[in-house]
Amino acid sequence: AALAPGLAMAQNYPSKPVTMIVPFAAGGPTDVVARSLAESMRKTLGQTIVVENVAGAGGTIGTARVAKAQNDGYTLLLMHIGFSTAPALYRKLSYDAANDFAPVGLTVDVPMTMIARDNFPANNFAEFLAYVKANNAKLSMANAGIGSASHLCGLIFTSTIGTELQTIPYKGTAPAMNDILGKQVDFMCDQTTNTTGQIKANKVKAYAVTSKARVPSLPDLPTMDESGLKGFEVGIWHGLWAPKGTPQPVVDKVQAALKAGLADPAFKNRMTELGAIVLADQASPAALDKHVKSETAKWGAIIKKAGVYAD
Ligand code: MLT
């Protein structure tokens, strides 16, 4: 008897290249994770995974694109903590984070670094903090839009130090980094997957990392906690999703490729170089679903308390 269409399609999956949507500009931290993971997953999936950057509105435009895509397994979403913060920040989201997606698994967790243009008049975190507090009216902090990781870190930073700051939104922190290097904007909180190279090349000033422990690949950078902002901890986890209703055999194949991709030495070495932690034991729908739920509750409460909305 002929197989049910879904089952037949699932059995031949993937019979053509798969698209992985990255909701931020090319070259940024989310893109770096996606392109490296896509290459490693290809080896198991047996098809090219094409990374497509759909930027804007802090990652919610690209996320919405996947929510509305065919649930045939040929459109995937690589997104981070913004998946959990957007529902609190955007009162009119064009997708339902809790019901429009099929989680595949967690991928990596990335620490953030507070960095500034290379002529910023501060040579350690204490001087940076003092200067920002004294000159906040004439300083600008970059981020990748409301809902981005850089926005979230900036929000926690300004509310922790009790200082308002002008923020400049970009379509990703790759373009933001260009303006830091060009001294068009003063500083930003960005992921080590984007800042490690610039820090090691002394192209920017770096003051602290936002992880609980120091980052092995940036051993001289103190943590925010060590620097006096007790308990300041922001880790940017990234997940992989498919649209809701993607057939289970297809999700299973994508998950198998994800697990193999995370175990690929090429991927692991690249992530270690860039300060990212591979979450190999959490590459499952249940682990991602559980983490999204707890993160959505945690950040939702913090964001509501801060009274911040994007719309
Ligand atoms: C962010 O949320 O800040 C993004 O990760 C920036 C990016 O990937 O370009």
Side-chain angles (χ1 to χ4, degrees):
L3 283 169
L7 210 52
M9 184 274 286
Q11 277 197 327
N12 317 336
Y13 176 86
S15 57
K16 61 183 181 180
V18 175
T19 297
M20 182 186 282
I21 300 285
V22 167
F24 295 99
T30 312
D31 193 61
V32 162
V33 171
R35 289 178 194 276
S36 186
L37 184 56
E39 174 46 29
S40 294
M41 286 178 67
R42 178 190 55 76
K43 301 171 187 174
T44 303
L45 207 57
Q47 280 286 348
T48 305
I49 298 178
V50 178
V51 171
E52 185 182 341
N53 303 87
V54 179
T60 56
I61 290 176
T63 304
R65 170 78 67 85
V66 178
K68 297 174 176 60
Q70 282 279 336
N71 53 14
D72 57 9
Y74 289 99
T75 307
L76 303 175
L77 171 67
L78 197 286
M79 181 52 175
H80 56 39
I81 194 169
F83 191 90
S84 278
T85 59
L89 291 164
Y90 288 82
R91 286 173 280 201
K92 289 190 297 296
L93 262 187
S94 60
Y95 61 86
D96 176 354
N99 295 301
D100 290 347
F101 297 88
V104 177
L106 280 161
T107 66
V108 296
D109 191 48
V110 186
M112 302 192 88
T113 49
M114 188 61 83
I115 61 158
R117 54 184 162 80
D118 69 355
N119 61 349
F120 196 84
N123 292 317
N124 57 49
F125 189 81
E127 288 176 12
F128 171 74
L129 203 50
Y131 191 86
V132 168
K133 282 183 172 176
N135 301 277
N136 67 311
K138 44 181 210 184
L139 292 174
S140 57
M141 176 168 65
N143 66 37
I146 296 182
S148 65
S150 38
H151 162 260
L152 180 67
C153 183
L155 180 66
I156 299 163
F157 176 64
T158 51
S159 56
T160 303
I161 69 170
T163 301
E164 287 297 310
L165 271 165
Q166 182 194 5
T167 56
I168 315 287
Y170 293 80
K171 290 205 177 306
T173 51
M177 179 65 85
N178 290 340
D179 273 6
I180 294 256
L181 297 172
K183 304 177 183 43
Q184 307 298 316
V185 68
D186 296 308
F187 62 94
M188 72 173 165
C189 184
D190 192 17
Q191 298 168 72
T192 54
T193 31
N194 193 36
T195 62
T196 299
Q198 304 295 354
I199 293 170
K200 291 188 183 254
N202 287 314
K203 294 267 188 63
V204 296
K205 279 188 178 174
Y207 297 109
V209 295
T210 65
S211 38
K212 210 179 183 68
R214 290 197 178 201
V215 178
S217 49
L218 294 167
D220 304 336
L221 272 186
T223 65
M224 284 285 201
D225 187 82
E226 276 178 77
S227 307
L229 300 192
K230 289 291 164 217
F232 190 116
E233 189 194 336
V234 180
I236 308 305
W237 52 269
H238 295 61
L240 185 66
W241 289 264
K244 184 82 176 172
T246 301
Q248 192 57 45
V250 171
V251 173
D252 293 347
K253 282 185 181 175
V254 176
Q255 187 200 357
L258 171 60
K259 290 175 81 159
L262 295 179
D264 181 6
F267 179 75
K268 284 165 65 174
N269 295 341
R270 181 111 165 83
M271 290 300 112
T272 303
E273 259 169 37
L274 296 174
I277 297 158
V278 178
L279 303 172
D281 56 347
Q282 296 181 64
S284 70
L288 177 54
D289 191 46
K290 181 166 174 275
H291 196 61
V292 165
K293 286 188 168 79
S294 66
E295 287 284 283
T296 302
K298 170 185 170 184
W299 295 109
I302 291 168
I303 288 163
K304 280 202 175 37
K305 193 158 155 276
V308 173
Y309 293 105
D311 54 4

